Amino acid sequence: MNYAGMHPRDVRRLFREGRLNTQTSGMCLGYAQANMAVLPKKYAYDFLLFAQRNPKSCPILEVGDTGSPYLKTIAQDCNVASDLPKYRIYEHGELVGEFDNVEAYWRDDLVAFLIGCSFSFESELLESGVSVRHIEEGRNVPMYLTDIPCEPAGVFSGNMVVSMRPLPPEQIVKAVNITAAMPRVHGTPVHIGHPAYIGIADINSPDFGEAVTIRENETPVFWACGVTPQSVVMNSKPDFCITHAPGHMLVTDIKNADLKF
Amino acid sequence: MNYAGMHPRDVRRLFREGRLNTQTSGMCLGYAQANMAVLPKKYAYDFLLFAQRNPKSCPILEVGDTGSPYLKTIAQDCNVASDLPKYRIYEHGELVGEFDNVEAYWRDDLVAFLIGCSFSFESELLESGVSVRHIEEGRNVPMYLTDIPCEPAGVFSGNMVVSMRPLPPEQIVKAVNITAAMPRVHGTPVHIGHPAYIGIADINSPDFGEAVTIRENETPVFWACGVTPQSVVMNSKPDFCITHAPGHMLVTDIKNADLKF
């Protein structure tokens, strides 16, 4: 199957019908994918406030109505309890299991948060000739836990996780401008140049993902990463939480290009 | 006193000490001013979700911690119960009164929402030579209730209120680009050109504010307006609500130029 060329509704149908449960990287080219965190209502205000206070780490694309697994804006006819390829369920911060469908676990008090993903700005960087090293090298993006504190909100607090892409000098301005136009998928870099300045001891030892080659004359450029809210939520050990399984995202109907103002 | 040239902390001190209670228009040039709505915690999730779903109408600059009148981000050493020049208190949607200080009415369950204001982008438009007709004519900006529905959230729903500035053809692109860079103060126009298309019957009869001259060859340009959340909140008749009195805004420490990405 040519998943790259399919419309999002068609891959979501394959997921819903249990005919496919693979990672979504490379599917439906041009369309935005989203991270998901589903939390009981009692945590929802603190989480939404955390997102409001930390928009670069936690750019919200849509929040479902309380109790509803259906979306209204970023995906049509979409049930977030069935239309992602794979889910994880956590209780008190502990992984309970992975599931291809979580409709049996849905509850009237659950709220779905869909969060922007760097796939969208990487697609725009590549279109503009900006190099994305981990894609060139077939690796997962390198991510680092920094010493930059997020603004806490209620029960949620923690430091920012960043992703890094090394850039040659002539591509830095272009990368800043392209991502500046996309605040709903992390926006501009949070740091350019000096890993130690943001608490990263060894650029070759990322905390998550894989190290990539940094060539002579290249500068490491750091963006806030969607792993931040996941990490912050897990730290607070909510009694119940559903997320997408890593790499198994919601494929939305929103074109990456439409995430620009 | 030269209020235009004062630092925001100094005018806030005058308000706090009860030595001044006038409108803030023209004060502390270059600094952003903010609308305020203070609601009991039971309404806070719905209001924050309303803001998330309607960012052009309701761009949040800061949300206070529950029960705290102190801000952390947009104004230093600022108590929002004393540091604005004048307040209104509403109960069940009815105006109870105007007050220069609301510390006596503060409660442990109150949440302060500070919302971006078009003063900020008007300042940037003027700097760039874009005309702002109501300022030229010494009037209040014309505002209209449209038939554009806001995305509802819990108890909050209603149509968008817009402000209008007529522009000559050669200034429209410039105005779009300047405001595109300022999403935290309403961002890009929501409509350009045809009042009837968004439910405005008579451009010369605004629902709020005052009509302004539209010259031959000028086009009316419409931006989402901060009156929208006020109107939506009042429609839902919360049992208690504190707002700034019209025109008596919070003067923040944030420079308008810093509201750009």
Side-chain angles (χ1 to χ4, degrees):
Chain A
M1 294 288 281
N2 169 25
Y3 300 124
M6 283 177 77
H7 190 277
R9 69 173 165 268
D10 297 321
V11 299
R12 292 199 303 266
R13 190 181 304 124
L14 293 176
F15 300 147
R16 183 189 313 178
E17 294 174 354
R19 294 159 61 195
L20 188 69
N21 67 354
T22 57
Q23 293 211 19
T24 52
S25 176
M27 288 185 178
C28 308
L29 292 180
Y31 289 92
Q33 300 194 12
N35 301 285
M36 184 169 79
V38 177
L39 287 165
K41 177 71 192 297
K42 64 184 169 186
Y43 303 107
Y45 178 71
D46 285 356
F47 189 70
L48 189 55
L49 186 58
F50 182 85
Q52 194 281 324
R53 289 179 176 174
N54 299 280
K56 283 193 162 185
S57 301
C58 198
I60 299 274
L61 293 178
E62 183 166 355
V63 182
D65 285 325
T66 302
S68 172
Y70 294 97
L71 299 181
K72 291 177 178 169
T73 306
I74 63 172
Q76 295 306 306
D77 183 30
C78 174
N79 179 335
V80 296
S82 61
D83 293 5
L84 280 71
K86 202 183 288 279
Y87 302 86
R88 285 184 169 181
I89 293 183
Y90 295 84
E91 289 180 3
H92 304 287
E94 299 290 322
L95 180 64
V96 172
E98 285 199 345
F99 304 86
D100 292 352
N101 184 303
V102 292
E103 287 176 292
Y105 302 92
W106 198 265
R107 310 185 328 204
D108 284 349
D109 69 335
L110 295 183
V111 181
F113 295 89
L114 287 306
I115 300 161
C117 161
S118 58
F119 286 1
S120 295
F121 76 70
E122 289 178 348
S123 156
E124 294 296 296
L125 293 175
L126 289 169
E127 288 265 333
S128 301
V130 175
S131 61
V132 181
R133 183 63 36 77
H134 64 277
I135 294 178
E136 293 164 11
E137 296 187 337
R139 299 184 188 168
N140 191 358
V141 65
M143 292 168 276
Y144 308 84
L145 184 59
T146 70
D147 62 7
I148 305 170
C150 294
E151 283 291 328
V155 299
F156 299 115
S157 64
N159 286 350
M160 186 187 291
V161 177
V162 295
S163 60
M164 187 277 290
R165 292 158 192 82
L167 292 178
E170 68 276 12
Q171 293 185 356
I172 296 176
V173 168
K174 197 189 269 193
V176 168
N177 277 316
I178 289 168
T179 55
M182 303 182 81
R184 298 180 71 196
V185 285
H186 303 304
T188 48
V190 293
H191 183 78
I192 298 173
H194 298 284
Y197 189 83
I198 55 173
I200 298 172
D202 181 359
I203 197 72
N204 295 310
S205 299
D207 297 295
F208 312 97
E210 297 172 273
V212 296
T213 307
I214 303 178
R215 299 188 190 130
E216 202 175 358
N217 293 323
E218 287 187 336
T219 296
V221 181
F222 298 90
W223 279 267
C225 175
V227 168
T228 310
Q230 291 176 38
S231 152
V232 159
V233 166
M234 289 312 149
N235 287 346
S236 81
K237 302 190 193 310
D239 53 27
F240 187 77
C241 180
I242 302 173
T243 70
H244 65 288
H248 297 69
M249 323 287 282
L250 174 69
V251 184
T252 80
D253 296 339
I254 308 289
K255 294 226 170 182
N256 293 321
D258 285 336
L259 291 171
K260 297 181 185 170
F261 286 108
Chain B
M1 294 287 283
N2 169 26
Y3 300 124
M6 283 177 78
H7 189 277
R9 70 173 163 267
D10 297 321
V11 298
R12 292 199 304 266
R13 188 180 306 123
L14 294 176
F15 300 147
R16 185 188 313 179
E17 294 174 355
R19 296 159 59 198
L20 188 69
N21 66 355
T22 57
Q23 293 212 17
T24 52
S25 177
M27 289 186 178
C28 307
L29 291 181
Y31 289 91
Q33 300 194 12
N35 302 285
M36 185 169 76
V38 177
L39 287 165
K41 177 70 192 297
K42 63 183 169 187
Y43 303 107
Y45 178 71
D46 285 355
F47 189 71
L48 190 54
L49 185 59
F50 183 85
Q52 194 280 324
R53 290 180 175 172
N54 299 282
K56 284 192 161 183
S57 302
C58 196
I60 299 273
L61 292 178
E62 183 166 356
V63 182
D65 284 326
T66 302
S68 172
Y70 294 97
L71 299 182
K72 292 177 177 169
T73 306
I74 62 172
Q76 296 304 307
D77 183 30
C78 174
N79 179 337
V80 297
S82 61
D83 293 6
L84 280 69
K86 201 183 290 279
Y87 303 84
R88 286 184 168 182
I89 293 182
Y90 294 84
E91 289 178 2
H92 305 286
E94 299 290 321
L95 180 65
V96 172
E98 285 199 344
F99 305 87
D100 291 353
N101 183 304
V102 291
E103 288 176 291
Y105 301 93
W106 197 265
R107 310 186 326 205
D108 285 348
D109 69 335
L110 295 183
V111 181
F113 294 89
L114 288 307
I115 300 162
C117 161
S118 58
F119 287 0
S120 295
F121 76 71
E122 289 177 349
S123 155
E124 294 296 296
L125 292 175
L126 289 169
E127 287 267 333
S128 302
V130 175
S131 62
V132 181
R133 183 64 35 78
H134 64 275
I135 294 179
E136 292 164 12
E137 297 187 337
R139 300 185 187 168
N140 191 358
V141 65
M143 293 167 275
Y144 307 85
L145 184 59
T146 70
D147 62 7
I148 304 170
C150 294
E151 281 290 328
V155 299
F156 299 116
S157 64
N159 286 351
M160 186 186 291
V161 176
V162 296
S163 60
M164 188 278 290
R165 293 158 191 83
L167 293 178
E170 68 279 10
Q171 294 186 355
I172 297 176
V173 167
K174 198 189 265 192
V176 168
N177 277 316
I178 289 167
T179 55
M182 304 182 81
R184 298 180 72 195
V185 284
H186 302 303
T188 48
V190 293
H191 183 78
I192 298 173
H194 299 283
Y197 189 84
I198 55 173
I200 298 171
D202 181 359
I203 196 71
N204 294 312
S205 299
D207 296 295
F208 313 97
E210 296 172 274
V212 296
T213 307
I214 303 179
R215 299 187 190 131
E216 203 176 357
N217 293 324
E218 287 187 335
T219 297
V221 180
F222 298 90
W223 278 267
C225 175
V227 169
T228 310
Q230 291 177 38
S231 152
V232 159
V233 165
M234 290 313 150
N235 286 346
S236 81
K237 303 191 193 307
D239 53 25
F240 186 77
C241 180
I242 302 173
T243 70
H244 65 286
H248 297 70
M249 323 287 281
L250 173 69
V251 184
T252 81
D253 296 339
I254 308 289
K255 294 226 170 182
N256 292 321
D258 286 334
L259 291 172
K260 299 180 183 171
F261 284 108

